[in-house]
Amino acid sequence: MRQMSVTELSEWLADPERAKPMLLDVREPAEFDICRIPGAELMPMGTVPARQQELDPDADIVVICHHGGRSAQVCMFLERQGFSHVINLAGGVHAWAELVDPGMPRY
Protein backbone atom coordinates (compact mmCIF):
# COMPACT_ATOMS: atom_id res chain seq x y z
CA MET A 1 0.00 0.00 0.00
CA ARG A 2 1.30 3.39 -0.96
CA GLN A 3 1.38 6.13 1.69
CA MET A 4 1.62 9.87 1.20
CA SER A 5 2.44 12.62 3.68
CA VAL A 6 0.14 15.61 4.08
CA THR A 7 2.94 17.80 2.71
CA GLU A 8 3.09 15.71 -0.46
CA LEU A 9 -0.70 15.89 -0.85
CA SER A 10 -0.70 19.65 -0.31
CA GLU A 11 1.95 20.08 -3.01
CA TRP A 12 0.03 17.79 -5.37
CA LEU A 13 -3.21 19.73 -4.91
CA ALA A 14 -1.41 23.04 -5.47
CA ASP A 15 0.24 21.89 -8.72
CA PRO A 16 -1.86 23.19 -11.64
CA GLU A 17 -0.07 20.85 -14.07
CA ARG A 18 -1.10 17.69 -12.26
CA ALA A 19 -4.51 15.99 -12.38
CA LYS A 20 -6.19 16.16 -8.99
CA PRO A 21 -6.80 12.91 -7.10
CA MET A 22 -10.14 11.95 -5.62
CA LEU A 23 -10.03 12.67 -1.89
CA LEU A 24 -12.04 9.94 -0.17
CA ASP A 25 -12.73 10.64 3.52
CA VAL A 26 -13.79 7.45 5.31
CA ARG A 27 -14.61 8.97 8.70
CA GLU A 28 -18.11 9.16 10.15
CA PRO A 29 -20.37 12.11 9.23
CA ALA A 30 -20.03 13.76 12.66
CA GLU A 31 -16.23 13.74 12.31
CA PHE A 32 -16.44 15.01 8.74
CA ASP A 33 -18.68 17.89 9.84
CA ILE A 34 -16.10 19.10 12.37
CA CYS A 35 -13.17 19.34 9.98
CA ARG A 36 -12.30 18.23 6.48
CA ILE A 37 -9.70 18.64 3.82
CA PRO A 38 -11.15 20.88 1.09
CA GLY A 39 -12.53 18.86 -1.80
CA ALA A 40 -12.82 15.61 0.15
CA GLU A 41 -15.86 13.41 -0.40
CA LEU A 42 -17.39 11.49 2.50
CA MET A 43 -17.83 7.72 2.27
CA PRO A 44 -17.79 6.26 5.78
CA MET A 45 -15.59 3.18 6.09
CA GLY A 46 -18.52 0.84 6.71
CA THR A 47 -20.20 1.89 3.46
CA VAL A 48 -17.20 1.45 1.15
CA PRO A 49 -17.90 -2.20 0.18
CA ALA A 50 -21.47 -1.40 -0.86
CA ARG A 51 -20.51 1.85 -2.60
CA GLN A 52 -17.23 0.91 -4.29
CA GLN A 53 -18.93 0.97 -7.71
CA GLU A 54 -19.11 4.78 -7.28
CA LEU A 55 -15.30 4.91 -7.45
CA ASP A 56 -13.12 4.79 -10.56
CA PRO A 57 -10.71 1.83 -10.17
CA ASP A 58 -8.16 3.53 -12.44
CA ALA A 59 -8.20 6.97 -10.78
CA ASP A 60 -5.82 8.27 -8.15
CA ILE A 61 -7.70 7.99 -4.85
CA VAL A 62 -6.24 9.42 -1.65
CA VAL A 63 -8.02 7.82 1.31
CA ILE A 64 -8.34 9.98 4.42
CA CYS A 65 -9.37 9.41 8.04
CA HIS A 66 -8.44 11.01 11.35
CA HIS A 67 -4.96 9.52 11.94
CA GLY A 68 -4.48 7.02 9.09
CA GLY A 69 -5.66 3.70 10.55
CA ARG A 70 -9.12 3.42 8.99
CA SER A 71 -7.88 4.80 5.70
CA ALA A 72 -5.12 2.18 5.57
CA GLN A 73 -7.72 -0.57 6.00
CA VAL A 74 -9.86 0.92 3.21
CA CYS A 75 -6.81 1.16 0.94
CA MET A 76 -6.02 -2.52 1.47
CA PHE A 77 -9.67 -3.44 0.79
CA LEU A 78 -9.77 -1.40 -2.43
CA GLU A 79 -6.47 -2.88 -3.63
CA ARG A 80 -7.91 -6.39 -3.15
CA GLN A 81 -10.88 -5.28 -5.25
CA GLY A 82 -8.59 -4.28 -8.14
CA PHE A 83 -8.13 -0.56 -7.54
CA SER A 84 -4.63 0.25 -8.72
CA HIS A 85 -4.00 3.81 -7.53
CA VAL A 86 -5.10 4.05 -3.89
CA ILE A 87 -2.97 6.05 -1.48
CA ASN A 88 -3.24 6.26 2.30
CA LEU A 89 -2.85 9.77 3.71
CA ALA A 90 -0.34 9.22 6.53
CA GLY A 91 -1.44 11.05 9.66
CA GLY A 92 -4.82 11.88 8.16
CA VAL A 93 -6.82 14.99 8.95
CA HIS A 94 -4.97 15.35 12.26
CA ALA A 95 -1.63 15.81 10.46
CA TRP A 96 -3.27 18.11 7.86
CA ALA A 97 -4.52 20.39 10.68
CA GLU A 98 -1.12 20.33 12.33
CA LEU A 99 1.14 20.81 9.31
CA VAL A 100 -0.90 22.34 6.48
CA ASP A 101 -3.93 24.15 7.92
CA PRO A 102 -3.35 25.10 11.59
CA GLY A 103 -6.64 27.03 11.62
CA MET A 104 -8.65 23.86 11.05
CA PRO A 105 -10.85 22.80 13.99
CA ARG A 106 -9.69 19.63 15.76
CA TYR A 107 -11.38 16.97 17.80
Side-chain angles (χ1 to χ4, degrees):
M1 170 186 47
R2 182 169 169 219
Q3 296 227 45
M4 171 179 284
S5 73
V6 294
T7 304
E8 290 173 292
L9 177 59
S10 179
E11 291 169 357
W12 184 356
L13 295 173
D15 186 346
E17 308 261 325
R18 202 164 171 198
K20 304 299 180 241
M22 176 183 192
L23 303 178
L24 182 65
D25 195 317
V26 297
R27 295 175 298 152
E28 293 301 314
E31 297 170 296
F32 188 75
D33 289 342
I34 294 170
C35 58
R36 68 186 80 161
I37 295 174
E41 303 221 10
L42 178 64
M43 186 180 290
M45 180 179 176
T47 68
V48 171
R51 295 180 59 194
Q52 66 181 310
Q53 72 280 358
E54 297 173 31
L55 305 173
D56 180 352
D58 297 316
D60 290 314
I61 301 172
V62 178
V63 186
I64 303 164
C65 70
H66 191 222
H67 286 290
R70 282 180 276 185
S71 55
Q73 291 178 37
V74 170
C75 284
M76 289 185 287
F77 169 78
L78 291 174
E79 286 175 341
R80 287 191 305 269
Q81 302 306 309
F83 287 76
S84 54
H85 302 284
V86 290
I87 305 161
N88 182 44
L89 183 62
V93 173
H94 180 77
W96 184 272
E98 192 171 289
L99 300 171
V100 177
D101 186 2
M104 177 184 281
R106 299 179 189 194
Y107 62 95

